[in-house]
Amino acid sequence: MTVRHFLQFSDFSREEIEYLFVRAHWIKQRFKRYEPYRPLTDRTLAMVFEKHSTRTRVSFEAGMMQLGGNAINLATRDTQLGRGEPIEDVARVITRMVDIVMIRTFEQSIIDRFAENSRVPVINGLTDEYHPCQILGDIFTYVEHRGSIGGRTVAWVGDSNNVCNTWLQAAELLDFRLHVASPEGYEIEAARAQCAGVHLQRFTDPNDAVRGADLVTTDVWTSMGFESETEERKHDFADFQVDAEMMALARPDALFMHCLPAHRGEEVTSEVIDGPHSVVWDEAENRLHAQKALLEYLLIGRVNPA
Ligand code: CP
Ligand code: NVA
């Protein structure tokens, strides 16, 4: 049987993603009622971190334990990966010992190579190109607050980065519109834009992207791995801050999301991220519930709701 992985959002069908939202809701409600649900007893998750993390680390580790399993945290510098052991060999070894792996790394090709040599499911915990678990949690949050995202408009303001690329895959899969406004030189890659067709509309003025949107979202100007460009980016992104004036152009009931960590005063003002449209804390919490549904699905498949 082929092993299923979650390396990109588009690895799953629309129907599978919608199933995960239903399961995430069920798992979340049960957790809130303090009712134990431990289908993953004796299962082990290995988490490989080649970049920093707070949310991804805590949500995967806590989630795995709450489901009855265990998690092992592997930071590059503490393992032989940090001394140059080939990723293929690491994959072959780790996946004989654990049941599932989550990796946060640099190029997507690294996680692809790991998955090719893995006996168990591999989850992308962020690469330079994608952050599928983030968008799983984000859209679950949208659904909780506003219902289905199909046919809605999401406005992305800022860097066409890993999170933006994943929003784009989600727009195609779940059939909503993505408005993207990025500074010159930081636009979405032409090949990606071409594939997205009608689901993507690009803007030079962020105000135009946000006008009439159901959800406004942004991210740091400098992603992990691009720190040497920080000063240049501060200059290039200066007109791409989500402030109250910009937010007022969206629908009156629009939500604001940010994957976090945020830099108040750069990509977003405190007024917006700490204001009435913002659901960033629900969004962060929902990483836990959405990923528990994902772990359950990859390890034991579909279950009938109790
Ligand atoms: N949003 C997110 O993935 O956060 P961390 O970098 O803290 O894991
Ligand atoms: N785009 C950011 C997301 C952090 C969760 C980064 O890659 O650093």
Side-chain angles (χ1 to χ4, degrees):
M1 211 179 76
T2 339
V3 180
R4 291 294 302 278
H5 304 294
F6 191 53
L7 306 178
Q8 305 187 19
F9 201 84
S10 58
D11 284 347
F12 280 16
S13 68
R14 176 181 183 153
E15 194 268 326
E16 285 178 303
I17 296 285
E18 286 170 351
Y19 166 79
L20 290 182
F21 294 152
V22 172
R23 283 307 294 164
H25 175 75
W26 186 89
I27 289 170
K28 179 174 179 175
Q29 295 314 310
R30 224 179 136 130
F31 178 68
K32 297 278 178 192
R33 292 196 300 267
Y34 286 82
E35 288 173 24
Y37 178 56
R38 301 198 178 109
L40 304 187
T41 306
D42 294 337
R43 302 286 181 180
T44 305
L45 164 74
M47 305 184 293
V48 180
F49 282 104
E50 299 218 74
K51 291 177 178 173
H52 293 276
S53 170
T54 298
R55 280 143 288 267
T56 305
R57 162 86 194 270
V58 176
S59 54
F60 269 107
E61 188 163 338
M64 196 62 192
M65 290 192 288
Q66 289 160 14
L67 292 171
N70 308 288
I72 299 173
N73 184 41
L74 298 165
T76 309
R77 67 178 175 280
D78 302 331
T79 65
Q80 299 290 3
L81 258 180
R83 297 179 61 247
E85 184 170 13
I87 194 81
E88 290 83 354
D89 291 358
V90 174
R92 289 183 189 114
V93 172
I94 293 181
T95 68
R96 284 187 179 221
M97 299 176 181
V98 303
D99 303 284
I100 189 159
V101 178
M102 188 287 307
I103 309 184
R104 168 167 288 196
T105 186
F106 293 88
E107 298 88 15
Q108 184 73 15
S109 59
I110 298 175
I111 197 167
D112 288 343
R113 280 160 49 208
F114 190 103
E116 278 162 25
N117 291 280
S118 174
R119 290 185 168 193
V120 304
V122 179
I123 298 171
N124 181 345
L126 181 147
T127 57
D128 290 348
E129 286 90 342
Y130 299 112
H131 196 1
C133 294
Q134 183 67 50
I135 304 310
L136 194 65
D138 289 6
I139 299 180
F140 175 56
T141 308
Y142 187 87
V143 171
E144 276 193 328
H145 281 268
R146 296 281 184 268
S148 171
I149 200 165
R152 306 287 188 155
T153 300
V154 176
W156 174 271
V157 176
D159 192 15
S160 301
N161 62 13
N162 42 10
V163 181
C164 177
N165 289 338
T166 313
W167 270 113
L168 189 56
Q169 289 195 337
E172 292 171 56
L173 200 70
L174 303 178
D175 199 18
F176 59 88
R177 282 178 296 278
L178 185 69
H179 288 182
V180 176
S182 307
E184 204 182 324
Y186 301 93
E187 299 99 337
I188 230 154
E189 283 167 33
R192 281 188 207 286
Q194 232 166 22
C195 293
V198 294
H199 295 102
L200 172 70
Q201 211 177 330
R202 286 174 289 176
F203 297 84
T204 45
D205 183 343
N207 292 307
D208 292 336
V210 166
R211 200 165 280 116
D214 298 282
L215 166 61
V216 178
T217 184
T218 186
D219 189 8
V220 290
W221 290 342
T222 304
S223 286
M224 292 181 280
F226 297 82
E227 288 80 1
S228 63
E229 300 172 11
T230 302
E231 286 313 311
E232 195 183 337
R233 282 170 174 259
K234 275 187 187 164
H235 171 265
D236 295 345
F237 283 81
D239 296 331
F240 287 74
Q241 180 185 68
V242 180
D243 59 14
E245 210 178 316
M246 190 185 287
M247 201 63 213
L249 298 170
R251 284 175 55 98
D253 66 345
L255 300 179
F256 173 78
M257 290 192 193
H258 189 309
C259 63
L260 306 176
H263 292 169
R264 288 172 175 77
E266 292 188 11
E267 74 274 6
V268 62
T269 60
S270 305
E271 198 181 358
V272 169
I273 197 168
D274 301 316
H277 294 280
S278 176
V279 290
V280 297
W281 312 122
D282 291 343
E283 180 189 3
E285 177 191 328
N286 279 336
R287 290 287 303 280
L288 172 72
H289 310 299
Q291 288 163 195
K292 282 167 81 176
L294 177 66
L295 289 164
E296 178 196 58
Y297 183 59
L298 287 172
L299 280 170
I300 56 180
R302 275 172 209 260
V303 294
N304 292 321

